[in-house]
PDB file of all heavy atoms in Angstrom:
ATOM      1  N   VAL A   1    -113.681 139.967 154.128  1.00 92.00           N
ATOM      2  CA  VAL A   1    -114.013 140.369 152.728  1.00 92.00           C
ATOM      3  C   VAL A   1    -115.459 140.411 152.478  1.00 92.00           C
ATOM      4  O   VAL A   1    -115.945 140.945 151.482  1.00 92.00           O
ATOM      5  CB  VAL A   1    -113.286 139.353 151.727  1.00 92.00           C
ATOM      6  CG1 VAL A   1    -111.825 139.493 151.795  1.00 92.00           C
ATOM      7  CG2 VAL A   1    -113.735 137.948 151.970  1.00 92.00           C
ATOM      8  N   PHE A   2    -116.316 139.726 153.385  1.00 94.00           N
ATOM      9  CA  PHE A   2    -117.763 139.765 153.207  1.00 94.00           C
ATOM     10  C   PHE A   2    -118.401 140.496 154.313  1.00 94.00           C
ATOM     11  O   PHE A   2    -119.655 140.502 154.356  1.00 94.00           O
ATOM     12  CB  PHE A   2    -118.260 138.327 153.150  1.00 94.00           C
ATOM     13  CG  PHE A   2    -117.679 137.497 152.028  1.00 94.00           C
ATOM     14  CD1 PHE A   2    -116.747 136.557 152.190  1.00 94.00           C
ATOM     15  CD2 PHE A   2    -118.185 137.742 150.699  1.00 94.00           C
ATOM     16  CE1 PHE A   2    -116.182 135.795 151.241  1.00 94.00           C
ATOM     17  CE2 PHE A   2    -117.613 136.983 149.684  1.00 94.00           C
ATOM     18  CZ  PHE A   2    -116.588 136.027 149.906  1.00 94.00           C
ATOM     19  N   THR A   3    -117.638 141.281 155.136  1.00 94.00           N
ATOM     20  CA  THR A   3    -118.172 142.087 156.229  1.00 94.00           C
ATOM     21  C   THR A   3    -118.913 141.368 157.315  1.00 94.00           C
ATOM     22  O   THR A   3    -119.562 141.940 158.156  1.00 94.00           O
ATOM     23  CB  THR A   3    -119.121 143.237 155.732  1.00 94.00           C
ATOM     24  OG1 THR A   3    -120.356 142.650 155.315  1.00 94.00           O
ATOM     25  CG2 THR A   3    -118.426 144.048 154.527  1.00 94.00           C
ATOM     26  N   ALA A   4    -118.701 140.091 157.404  1.00 96.00           N
ATOM     27  CA  ALA A   4    -119.345 139.263 158.457  1.00 96.00           C
ATOM     28  C   ALA A   4    -118.815 139.556 159.852  1.00 96.00           C
ATOM     29  O   ALA A   4    -119.566 139.350 160.831  1.00 96.00           O
ATOM     30  CB  ALA A   4    -119.136 137.809 158.194  1.00 96.00           C
ATOM     31  N   THR A   5    -117.670 140.129 160.029  1.00 97.00           N
ATOM     32  CA  THR A   5    -117.193 140.462 161.298  1.00 97.00           C
ATOM     33  C   THR A   5    -116.968 142.004 161.507  1.00 97.00           C
ATOM     34  O   THR A   5    -116.229 142.475 162.396  1.00 97.00           O
ATOM     35  CB  THR A   5    -115.734 139.774 161.527  1.00 97.00           C
ATOM     36  OG1 THR A   5    -114.858 140.264 160.498  1.00 97.00           O
ATOM     37  CG2 THR A   5    -115.918 138.284 161.483  1.00 97.00           C
ATOM     38  N   LYS A   6    -117.734 142.723 160.763  1.00 96.00           N
ATOM     39  CA  LYS A   6    -117.651 144.183 160.795  1.00 96.00           C
ATOM     40  C   LYS A   6    -118.014 144.732 162.151  1.00 96.00           C
ATOM     41  O   LYS A   6    -118.993 144.264 162.829  1.00 96.00           O
ATOM     42  CB  LYS A   6    -118.527 144.809 159.744  1.00 96.00           C
ATOM     43  CG  LYS A   6    -118.405 146.334 159.527  1.00 96.00           C
ATOM     44  CD  LYS A   6    -119.285 146.730 158.431  1.00 96.00           C
ATOM     45  CE  LYS A   6    -119.199 148.316 158.199  1.00 96.00           C
ATOM     46  NZ  LYS A   6    -117.860 148.746 157.841  1.00 96.00           N
ATOM     47  N   ASN A   7    -117.205 145.717 162.720  1.00 95.00           N
ATOM     48  CA  ASN A   7    -117.450 146.399 163.867  1.00 95.00           C
ATOM     49  C   ASN A   7    -117.207 145.581 165.183  1.00 95.00           C
ATOM     50  O   ASN A   7    -117.350 146.038 166.265  1.00 95.00           O
ATOM     51  CB  ASN A   7    -118.902 146.915 164.060  1.00 95.00           C
ATOM     52  CG  ASN A   7    -119.204 148.021 162.925  1.00 95.00           C
ATOM     53  OD1 ASN A   7    -118.248 148.772 162.519  1.00 95.00           O
ATOM     54  ND2 ASN A   7    -120.387 148.031 162.453  1.00 95.00           N
ATOM     55  N   LEU A   8    -116.758 144.330 165.052  1.00 97.00           N
ATOM     56  CA  LEU A   8    -116.509 143.499 166.196  1.00 97.00           C
ATOM     57  C   LEU A   8    -115.388 144.059 167.014  1.00 97.00           C
ATOM     58  O   LEU A   8    -115.353 144.079 168.270  1.00 97.00           O
ATOM     59  CB  LEU A   8    -116.262 142.088 165.851  1.00 97.00           C
ATOM     60  CG  LEU A   8    -117.447 141.281 165.240  1.00 97.00           C
ATOM     61  CD1 LEU A   8    -117.087 139.840 165.079  1.00 97.00           C
ATOM     62  CD2 LEU A   8    -118.691 141.389 166.033  1.00 97.00           C
ATOM     63  N   THR A   9    -114.307 144.514 166.311  1.00 97.00           N
ATOM     64  CA  THR A   9    -113.118 145.026 166.955  1.00 97.00           C
ATOM     65  C   THR A   9    -113.483 146.393 167.803  1.00 97.00           C
ATOM     66  O   THR A   9    -113.085 146.495 168.914  1.00 97.00           O
ATOM     67  CB  THR A   9    -111.993 145.377 165.997  1.00 97.00           C
ATOM     68  OG1 THR A   9    -111.743 144.131 165.279  1.00 97.00           O
ATOM     69  CG2 THR A   9    -110.793 145.777 166.712  1.00 97.00           C
ATOM     70  N   ASP A  10    -114.229 147.188 167.110  1.00 96.00           N
ATOM     71  CA  ASP A  10    -114.693 148.409 167.828  1.00 96.00           C
ATOM     72  C   ASP A  10    -115.533 148.178 169.118  1.00 96.00           C
ATOM     73  O   ASP A  10    -115.398 148.749 170.074  1.00 96.00           O
ATOM     74  CB  ASP A  10    -115.543 149.273 166.893  1.00 96.00           C
ATOM     75  CG  ASP A  10    -114.674 149.920 165.754  1.00 96.00           C
ATOM     76  OD1 ASP A  10    -113.473 149.975 165.948  1.00 96.00           O
ATOM     77  OD2 ASP A  10    -115.303 150.373 164.738  1.00 96.00           O
ATOM     78  N   GLU A  11    -116.408 147.150 168.970  1.00 96.00           N
ATOM     79  CA  GLU A  11    -117.278 146.879 170.095  1.00 96.00           C
ATOM     80  C   GLU A  11    -116.623 146.132 171.256  1.00 96.00           C
ATOM     81  O   GLU A  11    -116.907 146.315 172.447  1.00 96.00           O
ATOM     82  CB  GLU A  11    -118.521 146.112 169.656  1.00 96.00           C
ATOM     83  CG  GLU A  11    -119.485 146.999 168.833  1.00 96.00           C
ATOM     84  CD  GLU A  11    -120.773 146.344 168.680  1.00 96.00           C
ATOM     85  OE1 GLU A  11    -121.295 145.519 169.577  1.00 96.00           O
ATOM     86  OE2 GLU A  11    -121.457 146.514 167.645  1.00 96.00           O
ATOM     87  N   PHE A  12    -115.697 145.249 170.874  1.00 97.00           N
ATOM     88  CA  PHE A  12    -115.120 144.305 171.937  1.00 97.00           C
ATOM     89  C   PHE A  12    -113.646 144.427 172.126  1.00 97.00           C
ATOM     90  O   PHE A  12    -113.095 143.728 172.985  1.00 97.00           O
ATOM     91  CB  PHE A  12    -115.596 142.836 171.494  1.00 97.00           C
ATOM     92  CG  PHE A  12    -117.039 142.568 171.414  1.00 97.00           C
ATOM     93  CD1 PHE A  12    -117.714 142.576 170.226  1.00 97.00           C
ATOM     94  CD2 PHE A  12    -117.771 142.453 172.605  1.00 97.00           C
ATOM     95  CE1 PHE A  12    -119.042 142.382 170.188  1.00 97.00           C
ATOM     96  CE2 PHE A  12    -119.121 142.264 172.545  1.00 97.00           C
ATOM     97  CZ  PHE A  12    -119.746 142.262 171.316  1.00 97.00           C
ATOM     98  N   GLY A  13    -112.965 145.156 171.302  1.00 96.00           N
ATOM     99  CA  GLY A  13    -111.545 145.387 171.573  1.00 96.00           C
ATOM    100  C   GLY A  13    -110.660 144.481 170.668  1.00 96.00           C
ATOM    101  O   GLY A  13    -111.081 143.397 170.186  1.00 96.00           O
ATOM    102  N   GLY A  14    -109.449 144.957 170.529  1.00 95.00           N
ATOM    103  CA  GLY A  14    -108.559 144.213 169.659  1.00 95.00           C
ATOM    104  C   GLY A  14    -107.962 142.921 170.183  1.00 95.00           C
ATOM    105  O   GLY A  14    -107.399 142.152 169.529  1.00 95.00           O
ATOM    106  N   ASP A  15    -108.297 142.644 171.518  1.00 95.00           N
ATOM    107  CA  ASP A  15    -107.900 141.356 172.008  1.00 95.00           C
ATOM    108  C   ASP A  15    -109.011 140.275 171.833  1.00 95.00           C
ATOM    109  O   ASP A  15    -108.783 139.134 172.121  1.00 95.00           O
ATOM    110  CB  ASP A  15    -107.533 141.510 173.514  1.00 95.00           C
ATOM    111  CG  ASP A  15    -108.703 141.967 174.384  1.00 95.00           C
ATOM    112  OD1 ASP A  15    -109.577 142.588 173.867  1.00 95.00           O
ATOM    113  OD2 ASP A  15    -108.618 141.641 175.552  1.00 95.00           O
ATOM    114  N   ARG A  16    -110.192 140.793 171.379  1.00 97.00           N
ATOM    115  CA  ARG A  16    -111.309 139.835 171.210  1.00 97.00           C
ATOM    116  C   ARG A  16    -111.673 139.560 169.678  1.00 97.00           C
ATOM    117  O   ARG A  16    -112.237 138.606 169.300  1.00 97.00           O
ATOM    118  CB  ARG A  16    -112.525 140.253 171.847  1.00 97.00           C
ATOM    119  CG  ARG A  16    -112.358 140.485 173.307  1.00 97.00           C
ATOM    120  CD  ARG A  16    -113.042 139.551 174.361  1.00 97.00           C
ATOM    121  NE  ARG A  16    -114.145 138.780 173.888  1.00 97.00           N
ATOM    122  CZ  ARG A  16    -115.430 138.954 174.163  1.00 97.00           C
ATOM    123  NH1 ARG A  16    -115.787 140.084 174.851  1.00 97.00           N
ATOM    124  NH2 ARG A  16    -116.380 138.071 173.799  1.00 97.00           N
ATOM    125  N   CYS A  17    -111.250 140.523 168.853  1.00 97.00           N
ATOM    126  CA  CYS A  17    -111.399 140.391 167.437  1.00 97.00           C
ATOM    127  C   CYS A  17    -110.125 140.907 166.710  1.00 97.00           C
ATOM    128  O   CYS A  17    -109.962 142.186 166.774  1.00 97.00           O
ATOM    129  CB  CYS A  17    -112.664 141.057 166.894  1.00 97.00           C
ATOM    130  SG  CYS A  17    -112.884 140.904 165.088  1.00 97.00           S
ATOM    131  N   PHE A  18    -109.346 140.058 166.087  1.00 97.00           N
ATOM    132  CA  PHE A  18    -108.092 140.594 165.635  1.00 97.00           C
ATOM    133  C   PHE A  18    -107.620 139.823 164.374  1.00 97.00           C
ATOM    134  O   PHE A  18    -108.215 138.665 164.048  1.00 97.00           O
ATOM    135  CB  PHE A  18    -107.007 140.414 166.718  1.00 97.00           C
ATOM    136  CG  PHE A  18    -106.827 139.043 167.320  1.00 97.00           C
ATOM    137  CD1 PHE A  18    -106.083 138.026 166.740  1.00 97.00           C
ATOM    138  CD2 PHE A  18    -107.597 138.727 168.509  1.00 97.00           C
ATOM    139  CE1 PHE A  18    -106.035 136.788 167.351  1.00 97.00           C
ATOM    140  CE2 PHE A  18    -107.546 137.396 169.035  1.00 97.00           C
ATOM    141  CZ  PHE A  18    -106.738 136.452 168.524  1.00 97.00           C
ATOM    142  N   ASN A  19    -106.715 140.366 163.697  1.00 96.00           N
ATOM    143  CA  ASN A  19    -106.214 139.778 162.502  1.00 96.00           C
ATOM    144  C   ASN A  19    -105.044 138.756 162.780  1.00 96.00           C
ATOM    145  O   ASN A  19    -104.330 138.946 163.718  1.00 96.00           O
ATOM    146  CB  ASN A  19    -105.640 140.808 161.524  1.00 96.00           C
ATOM    147  CG  ASN A  19    -106.725 141.655 160.827  1.00 96.00           C
ATOM    148  OD1 ASN A  19    -107.730 141.165 160.548  1.00 96.00           O
ATOM    149  ND2 ASN A  19    -106.405 142.969 160.509  1.00 96.00           N
ATOM    150  N   SER A  20    -105.107 137.687 161.986  1.00 95.00           N
ATOM    151  CA  SER A  20    -103.995 136.716 162.081  1.00 95.00           C
ATOM    152  C   SER A  20    -103.065 136.850 160.893  1.00 95.00           C
ATOM    153  O   SER A  20    -103.384 137.578 159.962  1.00 95.00           O
ATOM    154  CB  SER A  20    -104.602 135.311 161.974  1.00 95.00           C
ATOM    155  OG  SER A  20    -105.086 135.069 160.681  1.00 95.00           O
ATOM    156  N   PRO A  21    -101.856 136.268 160.965  1.00 94.00           N
ATOM    157  CA  PRO A  21    -101.122 136.163 159.753  1.00 94.00           C
ATOM    158  C   PRO A  21    -101.774 135.341 158.714  1.00 94.00           C
ATOM    159  O   PRO A  21    -102.748 134.587 158.974  1.00 94.00           O
ATOM    160  CB  PRO A  21     -99.807 135.409 160.267  1.00 94.00           C
ATOM    161  CG  PRO A  21     -99.763 135.610 161.754  1.00 94.00           C
ATOM    162  CD  PRO A  21    -101.203 135.658 162.156  1.00 94.00           C
ATOM    163  N   LEU A  22    -101.340 135.531 157.476  1.00 93.00           N
ATOM    164  CA  LEU A  22    -101.989 134.820 156.409  1.00 93.00           C
ATOM    165  C   LEU A  22    -101.477 133.368 156.376  1.00 93.00           C
ATOM    166  O   LEU A  22    -100.568 133.096 155.535  1.00 93.00           O
ATOM    167  CB  LEU A  22    -101.778 135.516 155.019  1.00 93.00           C
ATOM    168  CG  LEU A  22    -102.782 135.248 153.841  1.00 93.00           C
ATOM    169  CD1 LEU A  22    -102.572 136.288 152.815  1.00 93.00           C
ATOM    170  CD2 LEU A  22    -102.673 133.861 153.386  1.00 93.00           C
ATOM    171  N   ALA A  23    -101.925 132.554 157.214  1.00 93.00           N
ATOM    172  CA  ALA A  23    -101.420 131.179 157.379  1.00 93.00           C
ATOM    173  C   ALA A  23    -102.527 130.368 158.042  1.00 93.00           C
ATOM    174  O   ALA A  23    -102.746 130.358 159.219  1.00 93.00           O
ATOM    175  CB  ALA A  23    -100.148 131.234 158.283  1.00 93.00           C
ATOM    176  N   GLU A  24    -103.289 129.700 157.165  1.00 96.00           N
ATOM    177  CA  GLU A  24    -104.487 128.963 157.610  1.00 96.00           C
ATOM    178  C   GLU A  24    -104.166 127.919 158.669  1.00 96.00           C
ATOM    179  O   GLU A  24    -104.987 127.685 159.588  1.00 96.00           O
ATOM    180  CB  GLU A  24    -105.243 128.375 156.394  1.00 96.00           C
ATOM    181  CG  GLU A  24    -105.812 129.409 155.501  1.00 96.00           C
ATOM    182  CD  GLU A  24    -104.886 130.106 154.477  1.00 96.00           C
ATOM    183  OE1 GLU A  24    -103.683 129.721 154.447  1.00 96.00           O
ATOM    184  OE2 GLU A  24    -105.315 131.020 153.843  1.00 96.00           O
ATOM    185  N   GLY A  25    -103.053 127.238 158.462  1.00 95.00           N
ATOM    186  CA  GLY A  25    -102.687 126.236 159.495  1.00 95.00           C
ATOM    187  C   GLY A  25    -102.486 126.842 160.822  1.00 95.00           C
ATOM    188  O   GLY A  25    -102.802 126.234 161.925  1.00 95.00           O
ATOM    189  N   SER A  26    -101.964 128.013 160.840  1.00 96.00           N
ATOM    190  CA  SER A  26    -101.701 128.709 162.127  1.00 96.00           C
ATOM    191  C   SER A  26    -102.957 129.217 162.797  1.00 96.00           C
ATOM    192  O   SER A  26    -103.194 129.157 164.044  1.00 96.00           O
ATOM    193  CB  SER A  26    -100.824 129.983 161.965  1.00 96.00           C
ATOM    194  OG  SER A  26     -99.494 129.586 161.490  1.00 96.00           O
TER     195      SER A  26
END
């Protein structure tokens, strides 16, 4: 939401920067 991780997925792939479920404990 603050763009701190912008373009990481493009540069390093979906196995290195990916979305989690909305579950902070997880």
